[in-house]
Amino acid sequence: MAASRAGPVELGFAELAPAWRLRSEQFPSKVGGRPAWLGASGLPGPGALACALCGRPLSFLLQVYAPLPGRADAFHRGIFLFCCREPPCCSGLRVFRNQLPRKNDFYSYEPPSENPPPETESLCLQLKSGAHLCRVCGCLGPKTCSRCHKVYYCSKEHQTLDWRLGHKQACAQPDHLDHIIPDHNFLFPEFEIVIETEDEILPEVVEKEDYSELIGSMGEALEEELDSMAKHESREDKIFQKFKTQIALEPEQILRYGRGIAPIWISGENIPQEKDIPDCPCGAKRIFEFQVMPQLLNYLKADRLGKSIDWGILAVFTCAESCSLGIGYTEEFVWRQDVTNTP
């Protein structure tokens, strides 16, 4: 489901969905699983999807379907976010944007059907462009098994992982390989991101209501004492309280979308300045498009292998012009802000 490009902020919520709704031809916004690539050409290669810190393959985190009304060249538009889940890194992040006109080589001109397909199709690891995808992660797979030449990988690491978890035996039965894909414990759990418009609410009103409730609950506490406490409240406290107030009505939100607006920061520390956001290679400035909320961590089960990832928010900035640099995927910019020890 697409978010609107103007007006109120739009919120994303994680919901379970049937597999067919999370495939590329449905233009999904989703968390986890394998990427539902938009354009089938010019995918980021293994080098672009390797952690700059540890060199391991990045895990697909989420994608947002975000077409731009009035832009014929961005009738379909998707943003794809990847992260490193290997400690002590847990901070390698890459984000890519891809956009297509309505008439293109990969999808029907008409909107996708809202009805499920008549038969359940097996997982397809080859795009319409002919590009093969990694059997483990679903990213571009230029490497192939030297024995069966039937399966593809993005890296030696994923080939080794698949070999250890069953391909060693399945390799002798190449006709059945498409149906023998084990759980490699590499992908994040898969959810659809359902978009809803944020209810209009004035933070000042909420703060006043909370303040009144606090006075009432304190009983005989003097208002002057509360005023004194407020005067000594740090900037860090105020920013964190503003964050909590903003999300209070919809505490399960995992994503906030609002192209061109300002993000809501969780901390007063590590807020980027304009000079910290690099310009797009086309020369245009990058603007804020959406932020990933810490609530998403509850859905990822990232610690099931004794590994963990963490963030306060992930703020994604994209080209203000949403330029078309060929038919491939353009790298954009993501800023990570961690949670500080706020009382």
Side-chain angles (χ1 to χ4, degrees), residues 55-269:
R56 297 184 178 94
L58 298 178
S59 296
F60 170 69
L61 182 59
L62 60 78
Q63 64 190 76
V64 176
Y65 181 64
L68 297 182
R71 283 282 300 271
D73 63 331
F75 185 87
H76 299 297
R77 183 171 175 271
I79 301 170
F80 299 77
L81 180 59
F82 298 81
C83 71
C84 181
R85 59 186 293 173
E86 297 288 341
C89 292
C90 302
S91 59
L93 295 161
R94 305 290 286 272
V95 61
F96 298 86
R97 170 177 54 86
N98 181 250
Q99 57 197 48
L100 298 170
R102 183 171 184 177
K103 185 177 181 181
N104 58 77
D105 295 333
F106 310 122
Y107 303 104
S108 170
Y109 188 84
E110 300 303 323
S113 173
E114 292 293 330
N115 299 318
E119 297 180 1
T120 302
E121 299 177 1
S122 61
L123 177 66
C124 181
L125 292 175
Q126 185 175 13
L127 300 178
K128 292 180 179 180
S129 63
H132 292 277
L133 302 178
C134 176
R135 186 170 145 90
V136 175
C137 66
C139 295
L140 195 63
K143 298 180 180 295
T144 185
C145 174
S146 59
R147 179 192 287 182
C148 68
H149 302 285
K150 294 287 186 178
V151 295
Y152 295 80
Y153 304 98
C154 67
S155 62
K156 185 68 174 178
E157 181 170 338
H158 280 184
Q159 183 175 4
T160 302
L161 177 62
D162 190 44
W163 183 262
R164 188 171 66 247
L165 292 177
H167 183 62
K168 180 178 181 180
Q169 292 75 31
C171 192
Q173 303 174 355
D175 293 338
H176 301 284
L177 286 175
D178 288 342
H179 307 286
I180 310 174
I181 299 181
D183 179 6
H184 299 95
N185 288 333
F186 181 81
L187 304 176
F188 290 120
E190 191 171 37
F191 299 91
E192 183 178 13
I193 300 177
V194 177
I195 301 295
E196 298 179 7
T197 301
E198 183 178 45
D199 293 333
E200 293 187 7
I201 182 167
L202 297 177
E204 304 89 88
V205 174
V206 176
E207 289 170 3
K208 289 179 180 178
E209 291 175 352
D210 291 347
Y211 186 72
S212 300
E213 291 177 3
L214 179 60
I215 291 177
S217 66
M218 292 293 288
E220 299 179 358
L222 297 176
E223 185 173 346
E224 291 78 7
E225 292 180 353
L226 296 175
D227 288 338
S228 176
M229 292 168 60
K231 289 179 181 178
H232 290 88
E233 185 181 30
S234 70
R235 176 173 177 267
E236 179 73 19
D237 293 332
K238 290 179 180 179
I239 290 176
F240 185 63
Q241 289 302 322
K242 181 180 179 181
F243 178 87
K244 291 201 300 182
T245 298
Q246 191 73 44
I247 67 172
L249 290 184
E250 298 290 354
E252 297 301 316
Q253 60 186 275
I254 64 166
L255 183 139
R256 295 177 64 86
Y257 185 99
R259 190 167 189 262
I261 68 170
I264 57 169
W265 301 107
I266 198 169
S267 166
E269 298 181 5

